[in-house]
Amino acid sequence: MDVAELVIAALVIGFAYLIGGIPWGVVMAKLTGGPDPRTIGSGRTGGANVMRALGPRVALASGVLDVLKGVMAVGVAIVVGAELPVQILAALAAILGHSRSVWIGFAGGRGIAPGLGGLLVLQPIAALVIMPVFAVVLLVSRYSSLASLTATAIGALVVVVTVWASSISPLYAVYALAAAAMIWLFHLDNIQRLLAGTERRIEFRRG
């Protein structure tokens, strides 16, 4: 990789982190005049807490925009001709930005939505597998964290098996495992509450 490629890679990864950091839940709260999701529930800016603060319709819009962070991060890397390692680093940077956003004092969400977005571009079949898994676990348990952790683990497994069973680059497995590790790390407090039986459930209220 020459100097120009290194500069492009750095710019792409930096862009991915910054766009990943856009706190759409907070933006939606300002646009709708509703409560800032950081002031209630877990204090996070992800879809589950946006639903608690602003209702399911706003949470859905915010969630779609969060997914697009990962899509755009990888998409920009592809458009500028960056190789697969840079695409993967961009996808991971979007997850990091979402969870440790420079725009709101390095707070944020848990990373599941931009992680899904990156996976949609890098390994779309795995992404399509985990979406119904997330939905079923969420509807049955009403634990957003459990749904996220389960879907993330299954998604990583699907990608690893796909890499093992085919001739695609093992870097796809690196992304899946690294993204899963980050998302689980950002869910540590949720995991502790799940084990203690004190985790918050999602209430599917109108809004």
Side-chain angles (χ1 to χ4, degrees), residues 83-105:
E83 298 293 331
L84 182 58
V86 177
Q87 297 172 27
I88 288 171
L89 288 173
L92 295 174
I95 296 173
L96 180 62
H98 178 79
S99 299
R100 299 292 184 268
S101 171
V102 67
W103 309 119
I104 51 172

Side-chain angles (χ1 to χ4, degrees), residues 42 44-49 52 95 98-100 108-116 134 137-138 143-153 178-196 198-200 202:
S42 66
R44 292 282 186 160
T45 62
N49 220 40
R52 294 185 183 101
I95 296 173
H98 178 79
S99 299
R100 299 292 184 268
R110 309 290 185 180
I112 187 71
L116 173 63
F134 176 90
V137 176
L138 178 61
Y143 289 127
S144 176
S145 56
L146 182 61
S148 298
L149 293 167
T150 304
T152 301
M182 290 173 68
I183 291 168
W184 275 62
L185 177 64
F186 297 144
H187 276 84
L188 278 181
D189 56 325
N190 300 90
I191 294 171
Q192 292 170 349
R193 287 194 296 269
L194 283 168
L195 294 174
T198 58
E199 178 65 319
R200 307 173 189 90
I202 291 291

